[in-house]
Amino acid sequence: MEIKVNFLENLRLEAKFDDFTVVTDQPLRYKGDGSAPSPFDYFLASSALCAAYFVRVYCKARDIPTHNIRLSQNNVVDPENRYNQIFRIQVELPEDLSDKDRQGILRAIDRCTVKKVVQTGPEFQIETVDNLDEDAQALLMVDTDSADRTFIEGKDLPLEETIANMTGILEDLGMKIEIASWRNIVPHVWSLHIRDAASPACFTNGKGATKESALCSALGEFIERLNCNFFYNDQFFGQEIAHSDFVHYPNERWFQPGPNDELPESILDEHCRAIYDPEGDLRGSNLIDTNSGRSDRGVCSLPFVRQSDGETVYFPSNLIENLFLSNGMSAGNTRNEAQVQCLSEIFERAVKKQIIEDEIVLPDVPQAVLAKYPDIVEGLEALEAQGFPVLVKDASLGGQFPVMCVTLMNPRTGGVFASFGAHPSLEVALERSLTELLQGRSFEGLNDVPPPTFNSQAVSEPNNFVEHFIDSTGVVSWRFFSAKHDYEFVEWDFSGTNDEEAERLFGILAELGREVYVAVYEELGAPACRILVPGYSEVYPVEDLIMDNTNMALDYREDILNLHRLSDEQLADLVERLEASQLDDYMTIITLIGVEFDENTEWGQLTILELKALICLALQWHEEALEFVEAFLQFNDNTVERGLFYRAVCAVLEVVLDDELELDDYLYNFRRMFGEQTMDAVVGTVDGSVRFHGLTPTNMQLEGLDKHLRLIESYKKLHAARAARHAQGEQESLKKTQGA
């Protein structure tokens, strides 16, 4: 994690990381102002808090209350060497706690990350650099300069060379990548989380059988998501990008809807229109680009090549963003390597969806076949030894598709986690199923998976597939565990060179009667592609283009960002539109308008319901405000402080709306209950002198929204690289033309 430090007045310092700020000072005896803890105090507190966190996780997983558990830490300093200290952590446990849980809590404390780092002895490397922001890949902790070369199945270059190439691409873009965490809880299963140090909202996860293959996976996914703009899905790009020559790619085209808002004739083809507009209800306005909001320019559309005949078909950026998410995206050393990964993912998700929704019973993989892959067996046995029964299933549906499945059962909670993996090689598909199962997870994290059900409607419900797509935590049917399987086991093999594998996978889709559309991106220096298979590879239902389109943001974004500047008439119009929209009251404003607020602020926690309450209060619509506030208090997911603010608002509104009550008669005890500062804000909010308490003013230039501005700065690096590459290509083309 990158921590940037600013020098404040006197001895005060400010550390900034992610969306947090920590201020330190020194005691008066050391010439400080004593206004904040010292850096060393924070260090001491971190180990105590880390120990308490592991206690909390242990108890939460077992429904053990923590209100009667107490923990403290004392550091005992050696008088002859102040750097030699003993950290004594003591925990007071209730008498009725079992010996098993007492020992479990002590073992949990022993796993404290701060403690383990200190005990291991971190290495400090202190150096000067010309520019902190240009030391791009200093945070990657894997030796990519090794003379050894490691080849794995599916990669056209050794891992070390692949990692070096990808880190070079990111360095050229000016992106500093940091490894936020590693996981290796069973043998031969590694995963990690990497992110852009300047914009942590840009992150990916990687997985693999080794540390290097997991890093390669994470970097590949990072470059894939840069190429396909996935980090910036649903997000407002800001006015500068929105008014530039291109918004997404230099080869994008904008098409105007017809006079009655008909779909532009130049987008999609007949095959796609039959899928996305079967009833003729889809309008051009449904497909306006969310990221720019430029309805005046028309429908922003991106070119894809139709595999059946090589023709170019333009897909609206809005349609891709709303329906496909990250499905069918990949980067690789070669185009075919990337395409094999894309197609494998598409089959993995489509087959998984079919199995879950149709409650298909899969055959077990025979032990004799598993024995061919001893590293995978060792990982499976380690899970079994931890008390997690594991099922290994052939998900090829009788040898039709290159898909495998590893399903974990958690007897402690009754939960089930079905993980799927796909690749033309059975071994790689099986390895991916296992590494996907444990990607980014601890053993405690496996306590969050849901139990199976015999409710067929629950497993076939569209949102269940979305949950499976995002993190495989959707519900599966109990029928999945029947001993009577619907298909026989097949020891399938679609493997070959990446060229051969890509051809075979495209061939499967052709046999299914599916049309395939491919976009290839090579501007950043590594081949990346996006493959769309309409009617097969979507994540969200087609109806979302009309019923739940992300460009609903365009109806509210400008008004909400200019909230403090709206007239009463404009505020009344906004709240009435929100009411008439039938949008979920508990949708966050972040989701509604595509702007990343700091989650630790009132803006970051703001929902449509709370916004409507604040607008009604600003308009002095007290009866409507009370209704919204009561609903907020009934289902409040906001902070404790914000909840108390609205409890006070509710009490004051009830007094104000009662003709027989006088507010002055209650203010003394209200102030004793809620505090002077809170009541000043509440009284001002109710009488209209304080508007939108807690919400700092912003605007369409996103002033003060550092988190979103960091995201836009990240995108500007990508946008500038595309513009430069496009200009270079045009110059080269001009020279060739002049030379001819």
Side-chain angles (χ1 to χ4, degrees):
M1 178 174 67
E2 183 179 49
I3 301 171
K4 291 187 175 179
V5 177
N6 297 319
F7 296 90
L8 306 179
E9 66 280 357
N10 196 14
L11 298 182
R12 283 164 54 86
L13 302 170
E14 176 186 74
K16 286 184 169 290
F17 53 95
D18 295 349
D19 297 319
F20 301 101
T21 299
V22 172
V23 175
T24 71
D25 199 351
Q26 292 292 334
L28 294 172
R29 64 182 180 277
Y30 295 140
K31 309 301 182 184
D33 299 315
S35 62
S38 72
F40 190 68
D41 292 337
Y42 277 112
F43 167 67
L44 294 176
S46 70
S47 60
L49 290 169
C50 185
Y53 162 75
F54 277 92
V55 172
R56 179 68 169 171
V57 169
Y58 179 91
C59 293
K60 191 174 181 181
R62 292 157 181 82
D63 292 324
I64 299 172
T66 53
H67 65 272
N68 53 355
I69 295 178
R70 298 168 61 196
L71 183 144
S72 71
Q73 173 185 294
N74 291 281
N75 61 309
V76 182
V77 183
D78 184 337
E80 296 182 1
N81 180 2
R82 66 190 180 102
Y83 300 116
N84 182 26
Q85 301 191 16
I86 296 172
F87 287 14
R88 179 173 293 137
I89 296 175
Q90 298 175 313
V91 58
E92 181 182 314
L93 301 173
E95 293 182 1
D96 59 351
L97 197 65
S98 70
D99 289 340
K100 178 181 178 182
D101 284 326
R102 287 174 178 272
Q103 293 304 313
I105 287 174
L106 293 178
R107 286 196 299 271
I109 294 173
D110 194 51
R111 293 176 53 213
C112 167
T113 308
V114 175
K115 178 182 80 70
K116 286 188 175 294
V117 170
V118 172
Q119 287 177 327
T120 301
E123 177 184 349
F124 286 83
Q125 299 175 353
I126 303 171
E127 59 189 5
T128 61
V129 295
D130 293 331
N131 187 322
L132 286 174
D133 295 325
E134 290 179 358
D135 189 21
Q137 307 316 326
L139 302 179
L140 294 177
M141 294 177 60
V142 171
D143 180 12
T144 58
D145 297 324
S146 169
D148 297 330
R149 290 293 177 261
T150 307
F151 287 89
I152 64 171
E153 192 168 2
K155 289 292 179 189
D156 287 326
L157 290 176
L159 292 178
E160 293 80 7
E161 190 173 344
T162 303
I163 292 170
N165 290 342
M166 289 189 287
T167 53
I169 290 169
L170 295 169
E171 188 169 7
D172 290 342
L173 285 171
M175 291 186 173
K176 181 184 288 189
I177 303 301
E178 62 182 14
I179 296 176
S181 65
W182 283 101
R183 293 279 187 186
N184 175 221
I185 61 175
V186 300
H188 312 296
V189 178
W190 287 83
S191 68
L192 76 160
H193 178 88
I194 66 172
R195 61 188 185 181
D196 181 354
S199 178
C202 299
F203 66 86
T204 58
N205 299 300
K207 59 185 185 294
T210 66
K211 187 168 54 173
E212 290 77 16
S213 61
L215 176 59
C216 192
S217 166
L219 290 169
E221 188 173 279
F222 201 98
I223 290 176
E224 150 206 316
R225 296 187 175 200
L226 286 175
N227 275 284
C228 298
N229 283 358
F230 184 73
F231 288 137
Y232 319 100
N233 235 28
D234 307 342
Q235 303 293 339
F236 178 40
F237 284 170
Q239 294 186 323
E240 180 183 341
I241 297 293
H243 289 81
S244 60
D245 291 339
F246 67 91
V247 172
H248 296 273
Y249 303 95
N251 62 353
E252 70 192 25
R253 293 181 62 185
W254 297 71
F255 301 102
Q256 287 294 335
N260 296 311
D261 201 19
E262 297 93 348
L263 295 182
E265 292 184 2
S266 300
I267 64 170
L268 305 174
D269 57 16
E270 289 186 13
H271 174 75
C272 293
R273 287 184 181 239
I275 294 170
Y276 299 126
D277 189 26
E279 304 297 329
D281 297 328
L282 191 63
R283 317 311 296 164
S285 56
N286 294 131
L287 300 176
I288 298 301
D289 177 57
T290 303
N291 305 109
S292 66
R294 291 293 303 276
S295 56
D296 58 306
R297 291 181 71 175
V299 177
C300 180
S301 302
L302 311 177
F304 283 74
V305 175
R306 189 167 57 205
Q307 285 297 104
S308 61
D309 58 8
E311 290 294 317
T312 297
V313 176
Y314 282 87
F315 281 75
S317 61
N318 173 281
L319 182 148
I320 298 169
E321 171 188 280
N322 272 281
L323 300 185
F324 291 93
L325 290 185
S326 64
N327 199 20
M329 299 175 358
S330 187
N333 293 296
T334 63
R335 181 179 299 191
N336 281 318
E337 180 186 312
Q339 288 182 336
V340 168
Q341 176 60 20
C342 277
L343 293 166
S344 295
E345 280 190 358
I346 288 171
F347 283 122
E348 173 194 322
R349 278 118 186 207
V351 172
K352 177 180 184 177
K353 181 179 182 181
Q354 181 182 350
I355 290 167
I356 290 169
E357 290 185 352
D358 295 347
E359 300 177 278
I360 294 173
V361 183
L362 302 176
D364 293 323
V365 177
Q367 288 299 318
V369 174
L370 282 179
K372 298 178 182 180
Y373 315 116
D375 287 353
I376 294 173
V377 170
E378 189 176 354
L380 295 171
E381 289 176 344
L383 281 174
E384 294 271 2
Q386 289 290 331
F388 298 104
V390 179
L391 307 175
V392 183
K393 301 280 189 178
D394 169 23
S396 69
L397 303 185
Q400 297 179 75
F401 305 103
V403 185
M404 297 296 287
C405 174
V406 173
T407 300
L408 175 144
M409 296 184 285
N410 189 343
R412 299 168 193 161
T413 64
V416 167
F417 188 179
S419 174
F420 289 73
H423 189 268
S425 162
L426 187 150
E427 179 181 7
V428 176
L430 185 54
E431 177 188 290
R432 287 182 175 175
S433 299
L434 179 58
T435 54
E436 174 70 23
L437 178 75
L438 298 177
Q439 180 173 273
R441 285 185 170 84
S442 62
F443 288 126
E444 289 81 4
L446 296 171
N447 292 327
D448 296 331
V449 296
T453 179
F454 278 111
N455 183 345
S456 298
Q457 187 174 355
V459 296
S460 61
E461 196 268 325
N463 194 57
N464 188 47
F465 174 60
V466 175
E467 295 295 327
H468 276 287
F469 175 84
I470 293 172
D471 59 7
S472 297
T473 57
V475 179
V476 298
S477 172
W478 267 120
R479 293 175 176 83
F480 183 83
F481 298 92
S482 172
K484 295 181 179 179
H485 43 79
D486 295 318
Y487 290 88
E488 295 300 320
F489 170 76
V490 175
E491 192 172 359
W492 50 266
D493 184 11
F494 297 89
S495 63
T497 64
N498 276 317
D499 296 10
E500 293 168 340
E501 290 175 355
E503 185 177 350
R504 288 170 187 168
L505 297 182
F506 278 124
I508 295 173
L509 289 170
E511 291 171 4
L512 294 174
R514 302 291 180 179
E515 193 70 78
V516 181
Y517 304 80
V518 180
V520 177
Y521 306 107
E522 298 181 294
E523 306 86 34
L524 301 184
C529 63
R530 183 163 207 163
I531 297 179
L532 310 178
V533 188
Y536 190 73
S537 65
E538 293 88 355
V539 175
Y540 284 107
V542 171
E543 293 77 16
D544 277 8
L545 291 175
I546 297 175
M547 304 301 296
D548 193 21
N549 195 305
T550 57
N551 70 10
M552 61 186 168
L554 310 186
D555 295 330
Y556 307 104
R557 182 185 288 155
E558 186 169 359
D559 282 345
I560 291 175
L561 289 175
N562 288 315
L563 187 66
H564 293 77
R565 298 174 183 82
L566 298 184
S567 66
D568 285 356
E569 183 179 354
Q570 291 170 318
L571 286 172
D573 176 67
L574 174 57
V575 75
E576 287 166 2
R577 281 188 286 122
L578 286 169
E579 270 290 88
S581 69
Q582 296 185 332
L583 291 169
D584 180 4
D585 272 343
Y586 297 95
M587 178 188 294
T588 64
I589 298 303
I590 290 175
T591 302
L592 176 63
I593 67 173
V595 172
E596 287 293 325
F597 298 97
D598 181 348
E599 292 180 356
N600 304 298
T601 65
E602 282 80 359
W603 273 113
Q605 297 286 324
L606 189 66
T607 61
I608 291 175
L609 175 62
E610 185 181 354
L611 177 61
K612 290 192 292 191
L614 288 170
I615 293 174
C616 288
L617 287 164
L619 293 171
Q620 299 291 279
W621 294 0
H622 289 159
E623 290 184 2
E624 293 86 348
L626 179 59
E627 182 180 339
F628 290 134
V629 169
E630 287 176 337
F632 173 91
L633 291 172
Q634 187 174 3
F635 301 103
N636 172 35
D637 284 332
N638 212 306
T639 62
V640 173
E641 293 78 8
R642 199 67 171 169
L644 286 173
F645 168 78
Y646 281 108
R647 290 202 179 280
V649 169
C650 186
V652 171
L653 283 174
E654 289 187 304
V655 172
V656 169
L657 288 169
D658 192 323
D659 293 337
E660 298 181 1
L661 301 178
E662 291 292 335
L663 182 58
D664 287 343
D665 295 338
Y666 292 87
L667 279 179
Y668 174 73
N669 283 316
F670 281 172
R671 291 184 183 280
R672 293 181 69 193
M673 171 70 80
F674 299 109
E676 292 287 342
Q677 188 173 355
T678 297
M679 283 308 301
D680 286 344
V682 168
V683 172
T685 296
V686 173
D687 69 22
S689 60
V690 174
R691 292 161 71 93
F692 313 114
H693 171 65
L695 302 183
T696 54
T698 184
N699 51 37
M700 284 291 283
Q701 285 69 47
L702 306 167
E703 290 180 13
L705 304 184
D706 292 342
K707 184 174 183 178
H708 196 83
L709 290 172
R710 291 199 301 271
L711 190 67
I712 291 176
E713 285 304 310
S714 168
Y715 184 64
K716 283 181 178 178
K717 296 173 185 177
L718 186 58
H719 194 270
R722 286 177 178 149
R725 182 63 184 266
H726 179 65
Q728 180 184 353
E730 286 192 326
Q731 289 178 352
E732 292 173 355
S733 178
L734 180 62
K735 288 180 181 179
K736 289 181 181 178
T737 302
Q738 292 173 341

